[in-house]
Amino acid sequence: MANSISQYWVRLLINLIFSISHLATQDLMETQEEVKEEGVGYVVMRNLFSRETDFKMRTVKKSRETSLRESAERLSLSRKKEEFQKKMNPDSLTHPPEFIVKPRGQTVWEGKSVTLHCTVAGWPKPRVSWYKNNVLIDAKAHPEKYFTESQYNMHSLEIKNCSFSDTAEYRISALNVKGESSAFAPVIIKSENYLTFKLFVFIFRSDGYSPEYGVTFNTTIIDKFDVSFGREGETMSLGCTVIVYPTVKRYQPEIVWYRNGVVLSPSKWVHMHWSGEQATLTLVHLNKEDEGLYTLRVNTKSGFDTHSAYVFVRDADVEEEGVPVAPLDVRCHDANKDYVVVTWKQPAVEGSSSIIGYFIDRLEVGTHHWTQCNDTPVKYARFPVTGLTEGRSYTFRVRALNNSGVSRPSRASDPVVAMDPSDRARLRAGPSAPWTGMIKFTEEDPTVGVVPGPPTDLAVTEATKSYVVLSWKPPIQRGHEGVMYYVEKCLVGTETWQRVNTGMPVKSPRFALFDLAEGKSYSFRVRSCNSAGVGEPSEETGATTVGDRLDLPSVPGPVIPIRNTDTSVVVCWGASKEVKNLVGYYIEVSINGSGVWVPCNNKPVKGTRFVCHGLNTGDKCVFRVKAVNAAGYSGSSAESEACIVQASIGEYSVPSPPTGVTLLERVRDYMVLGWQAPTKTGGADIRGYYLDYRTVKDGVTSKWHEINLQTVTGTSYKVTDLKENVFYQFQVRAVNRAGISESSIPTVALECKEWTVAVPGPPHGLRVQEVRKDSMVLLWEPPTFSGRSPVTGYYVDYKEENEQNVRRLFTHNSFFCLIKLTGLQEGVSYRLRIHAKNVAGVGGPSKETDAILAETRPGTNEIVVDVDDDGVISLIFECSDLKEDSQFVWSKNYKAFTDTSRLTVQTSGVKSRAIFNDPSLEDLGIYSCVVTNTDGVSASYTLTEEGLKRLLDISRDHQFPIIPFKSEMTIELQEKGRVRLWAEVAKFTSNCQVEYVFNDNIIHEGKKYTMNFNKTTGITEMFMDSLEVTDEGTFTFNLVDGKATGRTSLVLIGEKFAELQKKSEFERAEWVRRQGPHFVEYLSFKVTPECDVHLKCKVGNIKPATEIAWFKDGIEIEEDDEDAKKIKKSDEISKKDAGVYEVKLKDERGKDKTLLNLTDAAVLNEVFRVIANSSTELKVMSTEHGIILYSFVVHYIEDLHIGWLHKESKISHSDRVQCGVTGEQLWLKINEPTEKDKGKYAIDIFNGQGSVKRVLDLSGQGKSSGVPAQATLQYFYRARVVGGLPDVVAIQEGKSLNLTGNVWGDPVPEVSWVKNDKALLSDDHYTLKFEHGKFASITIAAVKTIDSGKYALLVKNKYGTEAAEFTVSVYIPEDEGEKREIKGIVHQKMKILSSFNHPQAVEHKNIYIF
């Protein structure tokens, strides 16, 4: 039953594969037919001029006129065609498919539909196909499931009614003549039937069973070849015995040999043999090119097996002592019609001196004579060879040259044919169909004799000291015949172009120029030529300086030897940081102290790890490494530590295997692995890790293969170049000084396919530092797979070892992967793990740490900060539990130092010091130190800005101790004009000494200077009896107290010194003056508040016999003249009182005098000040004609300037507005004030220098104005008639009269009308109105003569009453004389009023009604 089920599934699988292959073949054939149709025009055009094909030709005779017309038409058409070809040139227009928009992966529920979209560009138009797990989708055969659509380069695939079986990776393939491109999109269908699907997948995975032969093949390799050594010129054979079980008749496994991962093929130098049991590889005539890692791979229907070993090839003996050995790996590149580039690799041994350069030899195939290509040795391992004959084959070899001679030649390169690359491509493609069309020629065909156009895309591809290589593209316009080229050069700065290849034009669009002046700059251009002539030059290149563009590699990093076996050592080194086009590394070994270096490898290796075999057991060896590129060798690295060649056993042991190898991320072609470091380091530092992999196919595993040649220093690694949908297993090995550990437990079979989950992967590399009784620091590495959005934070889970309750913390910091756990319980063990979080959610947990006990172990030290006597700031960490290989590892913010210029680490014994080279804000952060090969000894110190500032202050004090001063140097004048310079020191010892300096010259105590330093009070002082002109300068006290210094200075120069000298002389003169009668206060004047002027002075040290005399202008004033002592009232002061007043004292002890120059301006200005300050606030007073604003002063004189202001503007005086002075009253009178007179009023009184202003606000705002309301408002708000009424009205009898007067007042006035002093009341004849509180009107209907008379409009409010009078005269119309008389009377009245300038003559009107 089981066999029948198995056979059923096998048949089903075979049918499925056959149908898929048939569909793929059919699709490919259709695609090829379409490609042929699209490219036929292009192929015909290329074959037309590239092959000698029979064709028919005939000549047609035409007239001259017809030929000219057709020639012109052809020229026009040719230009259009040329422009079209530039746009439609197949070489530039066609391009492979390119996905502008790629399909996106999707996740949907079962039963829904999903659509994948993409956009593809390419020419010719690509043909697209959709695949599911690399199986072609036939939408036409399954319309109920799939629907495809293609429009305008946009393509879509719709999957209808999705089921769980539709979960797959979908691929769209785009294909045209230029190539193929694919894009992938995973589709995940969510369903509850996941287990059913996994069972289906398991059924289809067999255990390596071969249905073709009905067995499972098992392969075993025995009698394996080991590491081998050979010498150039010898023959070496490598062989293994291969056993394949079971044996099947007529079946043989596939035997494949590799060198450094490249498949080998039988050749002149490589022979292969398979006898059915024995696989043999024979290397004939060994050369250094044969050195490398050789691998035998045995492929069977059930899997494969491999075996590898290294083959070393030593140099043959040199013919002459000191010459270099032969170069190796000579290759040819960029071959053209007469040009080829030859490259090679430098040898490992340069001989007794450095290699000067290389000679290149060529040999034409079929001949036996080698020709040297260059006369001058070239330094670069790259050389362009020119002058080849088109169509011939050549091989090349290289010889090295040093001061001792020339090396043996290298192995010859493979033959290369000098021909156009396009011809070479056509030869590879095979013959094409001949052209059978017909071409017509006329006598004046424009294609005959066409001068070629300029070449395009000229560029300098290589530039060295020895040569410069140019490349370009052929011209577009070149006719039917071939073109050749002339190359021209021009020295930058000149306009002279010089043809380089005058004798023979070149055929290839490449050219090498030699013999150029090093350091000079050149420009280049190229001309095309054929039988019709030489074309125009191309665009010139930019300035190119002759010199090497490729620098030598930098020196490799530190070299670390690791014990391996009794005859080998594993050597690791740091890669060169600055290197371009690295060829590889050479490793050299020397017995310690011998000084003789021998190469370990004779072929450069690319990695930074190499196993050096063939060493002698027990030798103490040192190693060094040098890098090499085309420019030459780097300097040798520093010598490694001495390493004894022996198996890795002894005082150190290999570490325990790493644990917890997990998958961190996976994509279609790579996977990222993480693991935990070994729990036991073997007493030495873990220097790195090696990873191995093997494939798993249908349950059959292959042999383990090494992934990395260079050690991985971290605990994660990205394994690249994997195959999609292939299962792999991985294992990790750790390495320390003693050797390499056992492998970790292999992972489960991991399929290489892209993750499509949205949440991030697990963090890795968890480690714990600074374990204390209540805290610890947890560090980790971020997940390599962040999901569909960046990581935004982490959850930290920790729990006690024997409890299930998990406590969780969240950190928002996604950049620093660390957290300090506090509040732990002493003596409790904790386990920790990390989750990463992004927008989509929280990812899976990391591997859980081992149990960590929260305790502070005895002898635990913390990092301490120290500032030594020289001011150097450093962090010190001490560890007493050191082992021989223990190291102090410092980091900042828990990351390795990247800028070593900021910090210098010094370690001595059990103490390590991290010294700040230039402390600044850049150094703020957390500094931690971990001691390796100990039981987790570590500590940290946080340097804050405040702490740094404090340390810098202490450093400055230690480095440059300063004696502090309580008081800096000060100067003071003493009695007799004596000068004292002094300063007070705050802190000093009894050894403190003071040095007195003037203008950089030390001065000493003597006649001029007196000095003193009181060590009890700390006051140091220096005295000078007087200041002279020579004392101008800088005085300094220099203090020295052991290492500390102090300095204080005082500068006395310029005006400061002159003023001080004047004060000193004055003080000395004052002292002399005060010995007799003298003035304590000199003569001065004072104006009293009553404006009295007093002259006064104060005397001292007088006797009854002392004479006192007053003088004015030199004339003595008698004692009874009171005017000399008091000038009474200001109105009595005049210019005659101005003068020079003098008082003299005299007795037998001496005399003194005082002067006062009393000018009229000085006294008057003081009087003005007193008067102005005595002015009272402005007040207002009403009169029958208006208001008066006034202020009182203590006194008034005519010279006092007074100004009145209204609204900050000066008041212009008139008959209505007047100002003046009455006694001590200053007043402003306003007659008949109006609305315009409201506002602020101010009086401006001159006070001698400025003015004193008193302000009064007459804005009418009541109490807020601060003005007495009754006095102000009486005139501004009283009832008035402001206009509208005439003086005289003449009206014809029978007419109606209407008069309106404008009334104003606040409050609104009462209005009444009177006629001939009798009040009028409103009736049918008189209509009286008062509207809006402003307009009072009277209307007399049908006036009669009795209505003539004197009328008045009376207005009244609480502030006053006013009457506006007017006369009404009614006349009879027939009496024209009376009308003229009335009019004359009115005019006469107005004339009289105007003559008196009466206001009514202007404001009032006259009304005549006829």
Side-chain angles (χ1 to χ4, degrees):
M1 183 66 180
N3 292 334
S4 61
I5 294 175
S6 176
Q7 292 176 3
Y8 168 76
W9 283 116
V10 168
R11 287 196 302 272
L12 180 62
L13 182 61
I14 292 173
N15 292 334
L16 178 62
I17 295 173
F18 177 79
S19 61
I20 293 172
S21 302
H22 175 71
L23 292 174
T25 304
Q26 181 181 0
D27 182 69
L28 182 58
M29 291 175 65
E30 293 175 358
T31 303
Q32 291 175 349
E33 290 296 328
E34 185 177 349
V35 170
K36 290 179 181 179
E37 291 175 3
E38 293 175 343
V40 64
Y42 176 73
V43 173
V44 168
M45 184 184 67
R46 296 295 293 266
N47 290 341
L48 176 62
F49 300 105
S50 62
R51 300 183 60 85
E52 297 179 358
T53 307
D54 295 336
F55 58 88
K56 298 178 182 180
M57 181 183 68
R58 70 179 180 182
T59 303
V60 180
K61 295 291 184 179
K62 295 183 180 181
S63 65
R64 175 77 175 178
E65 182 179 356
T66 303
S67 298
L68 288 175
R69 184 178 64 255
E70 291 181 355
S71 177
E73 292 175 353
R74 281 194 298 269
L75 284 174
S76 176
L77 181 61
S78 177
R79 293 192 185 96
K80 293 181 180 179
K81 179 181 178 182
E82 190 173 309
E83 294 176 359
F84 178 76
Q85 285 180 343
K86 288 181 180 178
K87 299 178 181 179
M88 301 297 294
N89 184 3
D91 289 331
S92 60
L93 182 62
T94 58
H95 59 277
E98 178 184 6
F99 282 88
I100 306 302
V101 178
K102 295 184 178 181
R104 298 180 59 186
Q106 309 219 19
T107 301
V108 297
W109 288 104
E110 190 174 17
K112 302 293 183 180
S113 296
V114 64
T115 304
L116 304 178
H117 300 273
C118 68
T119 302
V120 184
W123 186 259
K125 182 180 178 181
R127 180 182 178 90
V128 301
S129 301
W130 290 90
Y131 295 85
K132 174 185 176 182
N133 286 338
N134 292 326
V135 177
L136 180 67
I137 296 175
D138 190 352
K140 295 180 180 179
H142 303 281
E144 76 286 353
K145 188 65 179 178
Y146 303 104
F147 175 74
T148 60
E149 186 178 8
S150 298
Q151 287 185 350
Y152 307 107
N153 292 333
M154 292 183 292
H155 308 277
S156 63
L157 169 66
E158 181 182 3
I159 307 172
K160 304 175 184 178
N161 192 21
C162 294
S163 62
F164 188 77
S165 60
D166 292 320
T167 299
E169 183 177 65
Y170 289 82
R171 175 170 69 94
I172 179 172
S173 173
L175 175 70
N176 67 4
V177 294
K178 298 297 289 185
E180 188 271 345
S181 182
S182 296
F184 299 84
V187 174
I188 299 175
I189 311 301
K190 293 184 178 180
S191 171
E192 298 179 357
N193 299 326
Y194 179 76
L195 293 177
T196 304
F197 173 74
K198 294 297 288 184
L199 179 60
F200 176 79
V201 173
F202 176 78
I203 293 173
F204 275 83
R205 288 183 55 192
S206 64
D207 55 356
Y209 178 78
S210 175
E212 181 180 357
Y213 293 96
V215 296
T216 299
F217 293 102
N218 295 316
T219 305
T220 304
I221 301 176
I222 60 175
D223 299 334
K224 302 175 182 178
F225 60 91
D226 204 350
V227 175
S228 304
F229 297 89
R231 187 178 294 274
E232 283 187 312
E234 297 177 351
T235 298
M236 176 183 292
S237 293
L238 305 176
C240 291
T241 300
V242 179
I243 299 175
V244 179
Y245 180 83
T247 303
V248 177
K249 194 174 183 180
R250 294 188 302 276
Y251 173 75
Q252 291 293 329
E254 180 186 16
I255 305 298
V256 184
W257 288 90
Y258 296 83
R259 179 169 58 217
N260 295 330
V262 178
V263 177
L264 294 176
S265 301
S267 66
K268 174 183 177 182
W269 312 108
V270 179
H271 297 168
M272 301 176 185
H273 179 68
W274 166 244
S275 66
E277 293 183 355
Q278 185 76 21
T280 306
L281 175 72
T282 303
L283 303 175
V284 180
H285 199 283
L286 283 175
N287 272 89
K288 287 178 289 189
E289 288 86 346
D290 298 322
E291 183 171 293
L293 181 67
Y294 284 79
T295 301
L296 169 66
R297 178 184 175 117
V298 181
N299 296 324
T300 66
K301 295 293 183 178
S302 299
F304 65 91
D305 198 358
T306 61
H307 168 68
S308 301
Y310 211 91
V311 172
F312 293 88
V313 180
R314 295 188 175 94
D315 288 293
D317 295 334
V318 295
E319 299 176 356
E320 184 178 349
E321 188 68 27
V323 300
V325 298
L328 67 153
D329 201 9
V330 180
R331 298 175 182 266
C332 298
H333 309 273
D334 198 16
N336 219 295
K337 294 179 181 180
D338 56 358
Y339 166 93
V340 70
V341 175
V342 180
T343 63
W344 60 92
K345 294 178 181 177
Q346 295 91 335
V349 179
E350 295 185 82
S352 60
S353 62
S354 299
I355 293 177
I356 299 173
Y358 300 89
F359 289 116
I360 298 89
D361 303 331
R362 74 167 181 257
L363 173 68
E364 185 177 337
V365 175
T367 66
H368 302 282
H369 176 66
W370 287 93
T371 303
Q372 186 170 300
C373 300
N374 57 317
D375 297 328
T376 303
V378 293
K379 187 69 175 175
Y380 265 42
R382 183 181 181 91
F383 184 74
V385 178
T386 58
L388 305 180
T389 303
E390 184 178 3
R392 298 188 179 180
S393 298
Y394 296 88
T395 59
F396 297 88
R397 69 183 187 186
V398 181
R399 294 170 293 149
L401 172 70
N402 68 0
N403 294 331
S404 300
V406 182
S407 73
R408 293 181 297 99
S410 67
R411 174 186 280 183
S413 68
D414 294 333
V416 63
V417 182
M419 63 187 307
D420 189 274
S422 59
D423 295 335
R424 184 180 292 106
R426 282 194 295 272
L427 287 175
R428 292 196 189 101
S432 59
W435 172 253
T436 59
M438 180 176 64
I439 302 176
K440 295 181 181 180
F441 289 89
T442 64
E443 293 179 347
E444 299 179 0
D445 196 317
T447 61
V448 176
V450 175
V451 176
T456 59
D457 297 344
L458 176 63
V460 177
T461 58
E462 292 186 48
T464 68
K465 293 186 295 185
S466 305
Y467 61 86
V468 170
V469 176
L470 305 177
S471 68
W472 60 90
K473 290 184 179 179
I476 298 175
Q477 177 185 339
R478 50 184 167 176
H480 292 161
E481 60 178 307
V483 294
M484 294 188 289
Y485 307 96
Y486 286 110
V487 179
E488 298 177 350
K489 68 179 179 180
C490 176
L491 188 64
V492 173
T494 67
E495 298 297 332
T496 303
W497 287 91
Q498 179 182 357
R499 184 168 293 178
V500 179
N501 56 330
T502 305
M504 179 64 67
V506 295
K507 298 179 180 180
S508 303
R510 303 283 190 278
F511 189 75
L513 291 85
F514 300 92
D515 300 326
L516 299 176
E518 184 178 356
K520 296 294 184 65
S521 297
Y522 293 88
S523 294
F524 305 95
R525 67 186 186 187
V526 180
R527 294 176 185 265
S528 303
C529 67
N530 60 10
S531 60
V534 180
E536 293 297 322
S538 66
E539 294 184 3
E540 62 183 73
T541 65
T544 301
T545 303
V546 178
D548 291 339
R549 291 187 178 181
L550 185 64
D551 296 328
L552 293 173
S554 60
V555 176
V559 180
I560 302 173
I562 304 172
R563 294 179 187 174
N564 190 33
T565 67
D566 287 337
T567 58
S568 65
V569 171
V570 178
V571 179
C572 303
W573 61 92
S576 296
K577 295 183 178 180
E578 297 178 3
V579 60
K580 293 181 180 179
N581 303 327
L582 177 70
V583 172
Y585 298 93
Y586 283 118
I587 302 93
E588 296 178 318
V589 61
S590 173
I591 297 176
N592 193 21
S594 67
V596 178
W597 292 93
V598 178
C600 296
N601 60 316
N602 284 292
K603 187 177 181 180
V605 293
K606 280 280 191 179
T608 56
R609 175 182 179 271
F610 188 74
V611 181
C612 298
H613 289 273
L615 305 178
N616 297 322
T617 304
D619 284 350
K620 194 174 185 180
C621 298
V622 293
F623 299 85
R624 68 183 185 186
V625 181
K626 60 183 178 182
V628 63
N629 65 1
Y633 305 91
S634 71
S636 296
S637 66
E639 295 182 11
S640 69
E641 297 179 356
C643 177
I644 299 176
V645 182
Q646 61 184 27
S648 54
I649 57 175
E651 55 181 323
Y652 303 107
S653 61
V654 296
S656 61
T659 58
V661 182
T662 56
L663 178 64
L664 303 179
E665 183 185 5
R666 66 181 179 186
V667 190
R668 291 194 302 269
D669 58 351
Y670 72 84
M671 287 191 278
V672 179
L673 303 174
W675 59 89
Q676 293 181 359
T679 55
K680 297 180 180 179
T681 62
D685 292 338
I686 300 297
R687 297 186 175 182
Y689 300 90
Y690 293 110
L691 286 83
D692 304 324
Y693 80 95
R694 66 182 178 186
T695 59
V696 180
K697 184 177 181 181
D698 298 330
V700 178
T701 59
S702 67
K703 292 295 184 180
W704 289 103
H705 301 280
E706 195 174 56
I707 294 177
N708 56 314
L709 298 178
Q710 179 184 356
T711 56
V712 178
T713 56
T715 56
S716 64
Y717 187 72
K718 179 180 179 180
V719 184
T720 58
D721 298 330
L722 301 179
K723 295 181 179 180
E724 189 176 4
N725 298 325
V726 175
F727 287 85
Y728 294 90
Q729 283 185 314
F730 300 93
Q731 64 182 17
V732 184
R733 294 171 292 162
V735 59
N736 66 359
R737 184 174 180 179
I740 301 176
S741 72
E742 294 292 330
S743 300
S744 64
I745 299 175
T747 64
V748 297
L750 303 172
E751 185 179 5
C752 184
K753 65 178 182 179
E754 188 167 5
W755 266 346
T756 56
V757 294
V759 296
H764 60 97
L766 276 67
R767 56 195 185 278
V768 177
Q769 294 180 192
E770 304 167 36
V771 179
R772 301 294 185 265
K773 64 181 181 180
D774 58 352
S775 66
M776 63 181 66
V777 175
L778 175 64
L779 299 96
W780 64 88
E781 298 296 330
T784 56
F785 176 71
S786 60
R788 294 184 180 177
S789 61
V791 174
T792 58
Y794 296 93
Y795 285 101
V796 181
D797 297 341
Y798 67 101
K799 67 175 182 177
E800 296 182 9
E801 184 178 10
N802 297 324
E803 291 188 5
Q804 298 300 323
N805 185 23
V806 177
R807 283 170 279 184
R808 171 169 289 188
L809 298 175
F810 180 69
T811 171
H812 291 279
N813 193 343
S814 60
F815 299 101
F816 296 100
C817 298
L818 62 96
I819 188 173
K820 184 172 184 177
L821 301 175
T822 58
L824 303 180
Q825 186 176 350
E826 185 177 4
V828 176
S829 297
Y830 293 89
R831 294 183 181 272
L832 305 96
R833 67 183 184 186
I834 308 291
H835 300 259
K837 177 185 179 300
N838 65 2
V839 175
V842 180
S846 66
K847 287 289 185 179
E848 194 177 74
T849 64
D850 295 332
I852 302 169
L853 180 63
E855 66 170 351
T856 302
R857 297 180 180 178
T860 300
N861 297 320
E862 301 294 340
I863 296 177
V864 296
V865 63
D866 176 68
V867 183
D868 62 14
D869 293 339
D870 295 327
V872 178
I873 303 174
S874 59
L875 303 174
I876 300 176
F877 186 55
E878 186 174 353
C879 175
S880 57
D881 188 20
L882 284 180
K883 296 182 180 179
E884 183 179 352
D885 270 4
S886 295
Q887 293 182 352
F888 290 88
V889 180
W890 289 87
S891 61
K892 179 180 179 182
N893 295 328
Y894 297 98
K895 291 186 178 180
F897 287 122
T898 56
D899 187 3
T900 55
S901 63
R902 307 295 310 168
L903 209 66
T904 300
V905 177
Q906 295 179 353
T907 302
S908 177
V910 297
K911 185 181 294 185
S912 180
R913 181 191 300 267
I915 302 171
F916 292 98
N917 297 330
D918 185 15
S920 67
L921 294 178
E922 297 181 24
D923 298 312
L924 301 183
I926 302 174
Y927 291 86
S928 60
C929 183
V930 177
V931 184
T932 61
N933 292 330
T934 59
D935 196 4
V937 176
S938 58
S940 65
Y941 178 85
T942 303
L943 181 62
T944 62
E945 185 173 354
E946 293 181 0
L948 177 63
K949 190 177 297 183
R950 179 180 59 83
L951 292 173
L952 289 175
D953 292 341
I954 298 174
S955 172
R956 196 176 299 108
D957 293 342
H958 286 200
Q959 191 173 4
F960 307 105
I962 298 175
I963 300 175
F965 287 88
K966 280 187 180 180
S967 300
E968 295 291 336
M969 186 186 295
T970 308
I971 191 170
E972 66 178 33
L973 290 176
Q974 296 182 333
E975 195 177 36
K976 298 183 184 181
R978 192 183 190 197
V979 179
R980 178 188 182 224
L981 299 172
W982 68 279
E984 185 176 2
V985 184
K987 186 179 180 181
F988 61 97
T989 66
S990 58
N991 296 324
C992 185
Q993 301 294 326
V994 183
E995 185 179 69
Y996 302 89
V997 179
F998 173 65
N999 288 344
D1000 297 330
N1001 296 318
I1002 300 175
I1003 56 179
H1004 303 280
E1005 187 168 0
K1007 181 179 180 181
K1008 183 175 179 62
Y1009 302 104
T1010 303
M1011 302 156 183
N1012 179 45
F1013 179 32
N1014 189 333
K1015 294 187 178 181
T1016 302
T1017 61
I1019 295 177
T1020 178
E1021 54 190 352
M1022 183 177 71
F1023 299 92
M1024 293 184 289
D1025 291 336
S1026 63
L1027 279 180
E1028 301 175 357
V1029 178
T1030 56
D1031 295 326
E1032 183 176 8
T1034 302
F1035 293 88
T1036 304
F1037 295 165
N1038 288 333
L1039 282 74
V1040 179
D1041 191 359
K1043 186 179 179 180
T1045 60
R1047 179 188 180 95
T1048 180
S1049 298
L1050 183 66
V1051 179
L1052 296 177
I1053 60 175
E1055 295 181 358
K1056 184 177 182 180
F1057 174 78
E1059 182 181 359
L1060 185 64
Q1061 185 184 24
K1062 185 176 180 180
K1063 288 182 180 180
S1064 176
E1065 293 175 352
F1066 175 77
E1067 288 294 333
R1068 188 171 185 82
E1070 282 291 292
W1071 180 82
V1072 174
R1073 185 178 65 83
R1074 288 193 293 269
Q1075 302 308 308
H1078 62 278
F1079 289 97
V1080 178
E1081 294 180 3
Y1082 291 102
L1083 187 60
S1084 62
F1085 75 89
K1086 178 181 179 182
V1087 179
T1088 66
E1090 295 79 16
C1091 281
D1092 293 337
V1093 181
H1094 290 266
L1095 300 181
K1096 63 176 183 178
C1097 60
K1098 186 177 181 180
V1099 298
N1101 198 16
I1102 60 174
K1103 294 180 179 181
T1106 303
E1107 299 178 4
I1108 303 176
W1110 288 78
F1111 297 85
K1112 178 187 177 185
D1113 296 331
I1115 300 173
E1116 185 174 0
I1117 302 175
E1118 298 298 332
E1119 187 173 349
D1120 58 353
D1121 189 353
E1122 292 297 328
D1123 291 340
K1125 301 177 182 178
K1126 178 180 179 182
I1127 302 176
K1128 291 185 178 179
K1129 280 297 182 180
S1130 298
D1131 55 358
E1132 299 176 4
I1133 295 176
S1134 62
K1135 293 184 178 180
K1136 67 178 182 177
D1137 297 317
V1140 178
Y1141 290 85
E1142 183 179 10
V1143 181
K1144 295 183 179 180
L1145 301 176
K1146 182 180 180 182
D1147 62 15
E1148 73 278 2
R1149 294 171 298 166
K1151 60 183 179 179
D1152 196 6
K1153 66 179 180 178
T1154 177
L1155 298 175
L1156 176 62
N1157 188 359
L1158 188 64
T1159 62
D1160 54 347
V1163 178
L1164 287 177
N1165 286 340
E1166 183 63 17
V1167 172
F1168 293 158
R1169 183 188 67 81
V1170 174
I1171 293 174
N1173 292 335
S1174 69
S1175 61
T1176 64
E1177 296 293 334
L1178 276 179
K1179 296 182 179 181
V1180 63
M1181 178 177 65
S1182 62
T1183 66
E1184 58 179 337
H1185 300 291
I1187 59 174
I1188 296 176
L1189 283 73
Y1190 64 91
S1191 175
F1192 287 99
V1193 294
V1194 70
H1195 189 65
Y1196 175 76
I1197 58 177
E1198 293 182 356
D1199 295 332
L1200 181 65
H1201 299 293
I1202 299 174
W1204 287 90
L1205 304 174
H1206 178 219
K1207 296 179 181 179
E1208 304 299 332
S1209 299
K1210 187 175 181 182
I1211 295 176
S1212 300
H1213 302 289
S1214 63
D1215 293 339
R1216 195 175 69 86
V1217 181
Q1218 300 173 353
C1219 67
V1221 180
T1222 302
E1224 284 78 26
Q1225 186 186 47
L1226 311 177
W1227 50 265
L1228 174 69
K1229 184 184 295 183
I1230 304 175
N1231 294 327
E1232 295 294 331
T1234 64
E1235 184 72 17
K1236 296 181 181 179
D1237 294 322
K1238 288 184 178 181
K1240 288 187 178 181
Y1241 288 82
I1243 182 171
D1244 200 1
I1245 307 173
F1246 179 66
N1247 68 350
Q1249 293 181 346
S1251 64
V1252 175
K1253 187 178 289 187
R1254 306 297 183 190
V1255 181
L1256 180 65
D1257 190 355
L1258 294 183
S1259 61
Q1261 299 300 320
K1263 294 182 180 180
S1264 63
S1265 64
V1267 181
Q1270 204 65 29
T1272 306
L1273 301 180
Q1274 180 178 355
Y1275 296 97
F1276 285 113
Y1277 302 120
R1278 66 185 175 86
R1280 286 181 289 174
V1281 179
V1282 295
L1285 296 177
D1287 291 331
V1288 178
V1289 178
I1291 186 170
Q1292 182 180 346
E1293 186 178 18
K1295 302 287 185 179
S1296 294
L1297 175 64
N1298 181 279
L1299 297 176
T1300 301
N1302 298 330
V1303 177
W1304 190 89
D1306 189 10
V1308 177
E1310 299 175 3
V1311 177
S1312 63
W1313 294 86
V1314 296
K1315 175 186 176 185
N1316 296 331
D1317 297 329
K1318 292 183 179 180
L1320 294 177
L1321 298 177
S1322 182
D1323 55 18
D1324 295 339
H1325 189 59
Y1326 295 102
T1327 303
L1328 307 178
K1329 293 182 180 180
F1330 183 41
E1331 299 175 331
H1332 308 297
K1334 295 183 179 180
F1335 307 107
S1337 63
I1338 181 172
T1339 303
I1340 306 175
V1343 296
K1344 303 176 182 178
T1345 54
I1346 60 174
D1347 292 322
S1348 298
K1350 184 178 181 180
Y1351 291 79
L1353 171 62
L1354 300 179
V1355 294
K1356 177 183 178 181
N1357 66 4
K1358 67 178 181 179
Y1359 293 116
T1361 304
E1362 186 175 292
E1365 299 178 348
F1366 59 94
T1367 301
V1368 176
S1369 177
V1370 182
Y1371 63 90
I1372 300 173
E1374 291 79 7
D1375 192 355
E1376 293 292 336
E1378 184 180 356
K1379 179 177 70 171
R1380 288 193 295 271
E1381 182 181 356
I1382 293 172
K1383 185 176 181 180
I1385 292 172
V1386 173
H1387 277 286
Q1388 184 69 21
K1389 182 178 179 180
M1390 294 304 299
K1391 186 175 180 181
I1392 294 172
L1393 292 173
S1394 300
S1395 64
F1396 288 99
N1397 198 19
H1398 197 281
Q1400 290 181 350
V1402 180
E1403 297 177 0
H1404 292 183
K1405 301 177 181 178
N1406 302 301
I1407 301 176
Y1408 307 91
I1409 303 176
F1410 302 102

